[in-house]
Amino acid sequence: MTISLERISPSAADRPVADGQDYQAIAAEVAQTLAQTVQAREAQAGVPVDEIQCLRQSGLLPLIVPQKYGGLGATWPQAMAVVKTLAESDSSAAQLYGYHLLLSATPQVSGNAAQAERYYRETAADQLFWANAINVRDLRLTLEPDGSQFRASGVKSFCTGAVVADRIICAAMQAGNPWPVLFVLPRERPGLTYNHDWDALGQRRTASGSFTFEHVLVMPEEILGPPTRPEGAFATFLGVIGMAALTYTLLGIAAGALQAAQGYTRSQTRPWLTAGVDQASQDPYILRRYGDLWGQLQGAIATADQATAQMQQAWEQGDDLTHSQRGEVAIAVATAKTLATQVGLTITSDMFELMGARATANIYGFDRYWRNLRTLTLHDPTDYKLRDLGDWVLNGQPPIASPYA
């Protein structure tokens, strides 16, 4: 069974977006297209071929590619707003897109100047979609020399979207090197096999299963780096962007859940028999709960927007970014992610109390909001984020730079 997505309206997808004013208009049309079939696609699970094609047709894949390389040149706040808009309708597509943005910028952070320009230009010219086989906690993938070239062998888990990617950034261990080596592969490189083993509670259309590498050829120029300043703070900045992408995916899920609940309450929910009102939308307890949830969500969005503005300022510093500045941004984004997690879990659970028992019918599919958000919030433990925040508040200690902080 194939569930296809209709092409995005030419009114948005085919018009120039280089001036940046139409990013959100196009994102809204993509989200509307995705919303029409999201419930059926998620139930089917499988590989998100149609979703990636939909994103490719939108013209938004080179969103953060600098204009001098043929891209749209958006800022990170603009890019994260697009992620949130997509997540309001389809959180799997939003996660795929958020990771794509991060990965398409990775050569600028982890590579050298020539690699950054090369991959930026290719992304813009060919509308490339990027995914990863990085998962630094999985050390089963190794990279060994083979004459003047290299071979990658082993398995890597949580390869979100890699099966439908044009370019895959991989992380492998190399003898004598305690740090993972990053390299870029085209998806069609012989020896790459997707194992179709992603069967999770949520985010079912992200194809986040494992890949097997069987003596996969890696050319020397495909190995990223070294960056201009390997010891600098900017070389560790990918973890901050990754946190932001997940934060806005969570916020989008929460916003979409609240919107869905509002629509149902207005049209379907019946007032309780002792409420003394004719419509559920006039029930004082329902009104209070909606006010509470909406206020919490606005606070989380404002916190995230402030953090992302700081992230953009740090990005513009480039190699001049100090470790102290990086620490401040990491704390800001960690605060936003923690708040988005807490608010999102509250909204996606409490929404059922506002809609009533009939809203649990599978025909509505409202459970997907909680399932998807709960799955994403387990990406890294909230307790460790809160510990980092506490160490910053009490001791002025920034978090240790990592792919998660």
Side-chain angles (χ1 to χ4, degrees):
M1 177 182 180
T2 300
I3 302 170
S4 62
L5 296 167
E6 294 182 2
R7 194 189 189 286
I8 301 166
S9 167
S11 64
D14 293 340
R15 64 175 177 250
V17 294
D19 59 5
Q21 65 182 6
D22 292 323
Y23 300 151
Q24 278 302 309
I26 294 175
E29 291 206 26
V30 174
Q32 184 178 15
T33 299
L34 293 169
Q36 296 171 7
T37 57
V38 62
Q39 188 176 345
R41 284 184 287 106
E42 191 199 54
Q44 178 182 323
V47 176
V49 174
D50 291 334
E51 290 89 331
I52 300 308
Q53 182 61 15
C54 186
L55 289 169
R56 198 187 310 276
Q57 290 177 349
S58 75
L60 290 174
L61 291 184
L63 183 62
I64 54 84
V65 174
Q67 291 185 359
K68 64 181 179 180
Y69 299 134
L72 302 180
T75 64
W76 285 113
Q78 290 171 323
M80 292 300 125
V82 170
V83 172
K84 176 179 174 291
T85 296
L86 295 177
E88 291 174 12
S89 295
D90 188 331
S91 59
S92 288
Q95 183 187 0
L96 291 165
Y97 184 68
Y99 279 11
H100 157 79
L101 294 174
L102 166 67
L103 295 161
S104 62
T106 296
Q108 179 173 342
V109 178
S110 300
N112 55 47
Q115 289 171 327
E117 178 174 353
R118 169 193 169 186
Y119 288 120
Y120 271 148
R121 288 192 183 280
E122 290 181 359
T123 298
D126 300 326
Q127 289 287 319
L128 298 182
F129 173 71
W130 290 71
N132 82 94
I134 293 178
N135 188 9
V136 295
R137 300 184 67 202
D138 187 344
L139 307 180
R140 293 176 292 171
L141 183 61
T142 61
L143 187 67
E144 298 179 351
D146 181 16
S148 61
Q149 302 165 342
F150 298 86
R151 295 282 174 175
S153 300
V155 178
K156 186 68 82 168
S157 56
F158 291 109
C159 302
T160 299
V163 67
V164 289
D166 300 299
R167 296 291 183 272
I168 306 172
I169 296 186
C170 312
M173 302 307 297
Q174 199 171 32
N177 187 351
W179 305 106
V181 177
L182 293 180
F183 54 94
V184 179
L185 293 179
R187 171 64 186 91
E188 65 273 12
R189 183 67 55 83
L192 283 172
T193 302
Y194 181 58
N195 296 316
H196 292 277
D197 51 357
W198 180 245
D199 184 18
L201 176 74
Q203 295 302 95
R204 291 168 51 79
R205 291 287 290 189
T206 60
S208 294
S210 66
F211 258 84
T212 298
F213 292 67
E214 298 181 78
H215 306 292
V216 177
L217 174 66
V218 180
M219 304 299 291
E221 62 270 21
E222 293 172 334
I223 297 176
L224 291 179
T228 305
R229 293 185 59 194
E231 76 290 349
F234 190 69
T236 70
F237 205 63
L238 293 175
V240 177
I241 302 173
M243 273 200 298
L246 285 172
T247 298
Y248 277 87
T249 305
L250 297 175
L251 290 173
I253 296 173
L258 195 58
Q259 292 166 12
Q262 289 171 246
Y264 186 93
T265 297
R266 293 188 185 111
S267 61
Q268 301 292 331
T269 303
R270 296 182 295 182
W272 191 242
L273 55 89
T274 60
V277 296
D278 296 329
Q279 297 178 336
S281 59
Q282 298 303 314
D283 185 304
Y285 297 108
I286 290 179
L287 292 174
R288 180 196 178 281
R289 294 291 292 280
Y290 268 112
D292 182 28
L293 296 178
W294 185 84
Q296 290 185 50
L297 179 60
Q298 299 315 303
I301 293 172
T303 301
D305 288 348
Q306 182 179 24
T308 310
Q310 290 180 244
M311 189 176 81
Q312 178 63 29
Q313 292 175 352
W315 177 261
E316 292 170 359
Q317 290 287 321
D319 288 329
D320 293 330
L321 182 70
T322 68
H323 287 282
S324 176
Q325 292 170 328
R326 193 253 188 225
E328 292 179 2
V329 176
I331 286 295
V333 177
T335 302
K337 185 173 185 292
T338 300
L339 190 55
T341 296
Q342 296 170 338
V343 172
L345 288 173
T346 298
I347 289 175
T348 55
S349 176
D350 290 4
M351 64 187 290
F352 291 97
E353 297 181 25
L354 300 175
M355 296 185 293
R358 295 174 185 270
T360 62
N362 286 329
I363 189 174
Y364 300 115
F366 292 137
D367 61 302
R368 73 179 183 272
Y369 294 106
W370 181 86
R371 288 188 293 100
N372 290 331
L373 191 133
R374 178 74 278 186
T375 298
L376 276 179
T377 57
L378 301 176
H379 181 267
D380 55 332
T382 301
D383 283 341
Y384 280 88
K385 285 284 182 287
L386 292 171
R387 189 210 69 85
D388 286 345
L389 295 178
D391 202 17
W392 171 264
V393 171
L394 284 180
N395 305 313
Q397 291 296 320
I400 297 174
S402 78
Y404 301 94

